[in-house]
Amino acid sequence: MIPDTPDSAHPHAMNSQITFPSHRGYRFHQGLLASFVANGIQAVNFLGDRFLRKYHLSAGIEELYRHSVNAAFAEEEAFLVTGAPHASAYYPRDFAWFYPDVLDPETIMDAQDAVRRVRLLEKSVRLMLEAVRAGVVTTTIVPAGRNRYIGINYFSQPSDTLLGILAGLEQLLTAEQKPSSYLAMSQGAHAGRLLLSEYRADLQRAVFELARSLQRFDDNGITALLCDVSAPRSAATDTRAERRRFVTNASVYATFLRGIRLGVIEQVELEQLLGRGLAQYKSELLHLFGRHGHVSHSLDSRALPVASIALDFVNVHQGFWDLTDASERALFAATTDFILAEPRFRIPGTSHFLVSADNPLNKLIHKIAAPAYQGRSSWPTFNVEFADRMLDYDECSGTATYRAHACAILRDIRTVTETHGGYQELISENGLKYRTWAYQSAVAHSWFPRFLTVWKRAFGTSLLGS
């Protein structure tokens, strides 16, 4: 078990306030030259990681977790990152998709760990908010010298960057709501309130700009507002080149919902911009993407169901799905049942589910360098969200329909984590580390806490010490 050590056992943490330095003087760059520099930095980092990394830690789950925590939340870090090879750049979306539970007390090792996490999260959110203030709402922020950053889109404009920023801010704001003896949590909540007050107007402007970018789409009489009618928009599965994707548009809805919940935008003003109520906006999305009885990944595809479904339909934690609604439960269940029943969706003999049964239409660079990166590969973190939505379904329906499946997914992720010496970004369709001539999947240190949170929910006990 992770010890819930009182701050009194750590006098330095107990008797001193966390210092949150105000990092003024950030400079953000965009444009052709800036993108060239950013691409060079990223190419060196990714190729260097592929050929130079030899890391493999042979250890049990508790030691692996402690190593990941120490690596992910190190004092010297300027921003919360995944791990190599992604550590040279910052991905705002990840705060919603991959580490929404950084401040879950159940995942914290001790009081000093709590201090480090709160401090790092505050620095991360402040930097992202400074980017929003500068008009830089991109998929990726690449450091380019002291307090200099390049905003670049990989590989199209984002649909979920604002969602990630709001999710990171919400983690701070709600830090003290879960029972905890860590003083750092109340300090984090205070820091979150200050950030919200300082940057509320900038966030409001950006969210309303996102709302204004939506376009009406009509498909044989079924209409909805979409963010990607004419061109792809990036989401967590950003290498996929399809337009009119469920995940991108679900992320936009989730952004609006979070913005309202945090008091960044007013629902009435948003609905005036959309020309419809928020409930109708969501209902139209569900009708459009669920017209065949399951969630179609992309309206660009007219393929059979096996090729029209992708695992990212589960969307983010506290995001799109409201499984207290019977009609949403039915659509979720139909899509889930199809994935569970289709052998092409899983690594044989396991409960590791692939992103999709076939590799998608990719950007040219991914066809060459990593063709299955977001197709016939298994992302543990998407599987964790799949398991968590299954648990949501059972809780809301009062059944035990999917609990066994959720538990099997989590057990297999534990096994692959111990087998490969760390929490993996993704694994191949053969159950090995995903590796091509150009790319090797990250050991995703900062994604590990989310797994612990969902494990505790499924099994009722902590992963550590079990």
Side-chain angles (χ1 to χ4, degrees):
M1 296 288 289
I2 298 176
D4 190 23
T5 309
D7 282 334
S8 58
H10 300 266
H12 297 295
M14 181 70 176
N15 296 327
S16 61
Q17 296 289 313
I18 301 177
T19 301
F20 299 110
S22 180
H23 296 282
R24 299 303 180 187
Y26 288 134
R27 297 186 66 180
F28 295 91
H29 305 273
Q30 288 182 287
L32 188 61
L33 178 59
S35 295
F36 179 80
V37 172
N39 286 331
I41 293 171
Q42 289 293 82
V44 169
N45 183 63
F46 274 70
L47 289 173
D49 178 79
R50 170 63 184 90
F51 293 108
L52 298 178
R53 174 160 46 114
K54 304 298 182 184
Y55 166 83
H56 179 87
L57 181 62
S58 179
I61 198 73
E62 189 159 358
E63 185 177 343
L64 289 170
Y65 183 72
R66 187 175 295 277
H67 173 80
S68 286
V69 164
N70 290 334
F73 310 117
E75 293 282 359
E76 64 271 15
E77 291 289 350
F79 196 95
L80 185 56
V81 296
T82 295
H86 303 285
S88 68
Y90 310 146
Y91 304 87
R93 68 160 60 95
D94 288 2
F95 289 82
W97 278 97
F98 302 136
Y99 28 81
D101 288 322
V102 168
L103 299 186
D104 180 356
E106 292 284 348
T107 74
I108 294 174
M109 302 295 293
D110 52 39
Q112 188 55 40
D113 184 27
V115 169
R116 290 185 303 161
R117 295 193 195 198
V118 169
R119 183 184 288 123
L120 184 57
L121 184 57
E122 192 276 344
K123 286 197 295 185
S124 302
V125 172
R126 182 178 289 278
L127 176 58
M128 292 189 295
L129 290 171
E130 281 288 324
V132 171
R133 176 165 287 178
V136 178
V137 181
T138 55
T139 69
T140 312
I141 300 172
V142 179
R146 184 175 177 82
N147 287 340
R148 289 178 177 268
Y149 300 91
I150 297 170
I152 187 169
N153 286 321
Y154 294 123
F155 291 85
S156 52
Q157 288 187 318
S159 65
D160 52 1
T161 285
L162 287 172
L163 175 60
I165 295 170
L166 291 170
L169 181 57
E170 187 172 30
Q171 278 203 69
L172 287 170
L173 288 166
T174 60
E176 58 189 355
Q177 291 184 5
K178 291 185 178 181
S180 169
S181 58
Y182 300 129
L183 177 63
M185 296 303 173
S186 60
Q187 295 172 351
H190 178 67
R193 290 189 289 270
L194 293 177
L195 288 172
L196 178 58
S197 175
E198 183 176 356
Y199 294 97
R200 187 194 307 267
D202 303 293
L203 282 169
Q204 182 184 87
R205 169 181 50 80
V207 173
F208 282 152
E209 284 178 3
L210 178 62
R212 292 188 187 97
S213 75
L214 302 183
Q215 296 177 285
R216 186 175 182 272
F217 177 72
D218 190 314
D219 188 6
N220 294 321
I222 301 177
T223 64
L225 293 178
L226 303 183
C227 69
D228 54 356
V229 170
S230 54
R233 291 287 288 258
S234 175
T237 43
D238 59 354
T239 68
R240 303 178 73 107
E242 304 105 330
R243 299 173 301 163
R244 304 159 189 168
R245 294 169 63 200
F246 174 76
V247 66
T248 53
N249 289 284
S251 293
V252 172
Y253 171 83
T255 302
F256 296 153
L257 202 64
R258 259 201 168 94
I260 292 167
R261 188 163 69 219
L262 297 184
V264 169
I265 58 173
E266 294 291 335
Q267 182 169 342
V268 172
E269 191 172 356
L270 173 67
E271 291 177 340
Q272 288 174 343
L273 275 175
L274 298 178
R276 64 219 342 107
L278 195 62
Q280 180 185 345
Y281 166 59
K282 182 180 183 180
S283 176
E284 289 173 348
L285 291 176
L286 287 168
H287 192 194
L288 183 64
F289 287 97
R291 65 189 303 174
H292 300 300
H294 62 267
V295 177
S296 296
H297 168 71
S298 169
L299 302 181
D300 267 4
S301 171
R302 302 294 178 180
L304 296 173
V306 68
S308 69
I309 293 173
L311 191 62
D312 61 10
F313 90 96
V314 296
N315 202 251
V316 299
H317 173 57
Q318 296 184 358
F320 183 84
W321 291 97
D322 174 12
L323 295 180
T324 63
D325 182 280
S327 62
E328 290 195 37
R329 282 203 307 275
L331 185 59
F332 175 86
T335 313
T336 296
D337 291 345
F338 192 95
I339 292 172
L340 293 176
E342 173 53 57
R344 289 170 59 191
F345 261 105
R346 73 171 78 197
I347 296 172
T350 75
S351 289
H352 292 299
F353 292 91
L354 307 178
V355 177
S356 56
D358 297 306
N359 288 330
L361 174 66
N362 277 335
K363 300 288 186 179
L364 179 61
I365 187 174
H366 293 98
K367 289 180 180 178
I368 297 170
Y373 182 68
Q374 288 173 340
R376 287 197 59 78
S377 60
S378 176
W379 289 58
T381 190
F382 287 152
N383 277 266
V384 166
E385 295 309 318
F386 192 27
D388 198 44
R389 292 304 85 71
M390 289 180 180
L391 297 174
D392 286 340
Y393 180 97
D394 283 4
E395 183 178 293
C396 293
S397 64
T399 67
T401 305
Y402 295 119
R403 175 166 292 277
H405 294 288
C407 291
I409 287 171
L410 298 171
R411 289 191 192 99
D412 279 356
I413 293 173
R414 173 179 180 166
T415 298
V416 80
T417 300
E418 292 181 312
T419 299
H420 294 305
Y423 193 83
Q424 300 300 303
E425 178 193 17
L426 70 164
I427 55 179
S428 74
E429 61 181 309
N430 298 317
L432 305 174
K433 282 187 178 183
Y434 184 76
R435 183 186 287 115
T436 70
W437 69 269
Y439 183 79
Q440 181 172 204
S441 76
V443 178
H445 295 308
S446 59
W447 300 4
F448 212 155
R450 174 65 178 152
F451 176 55
L452 261 67
T453 298
V454 180
W455 179 283
K456 174 67 179 294
R457 182 184 185 190
F459 294 102
T461 59
S462 172
L463 172 69
L464 309 186
S466 63

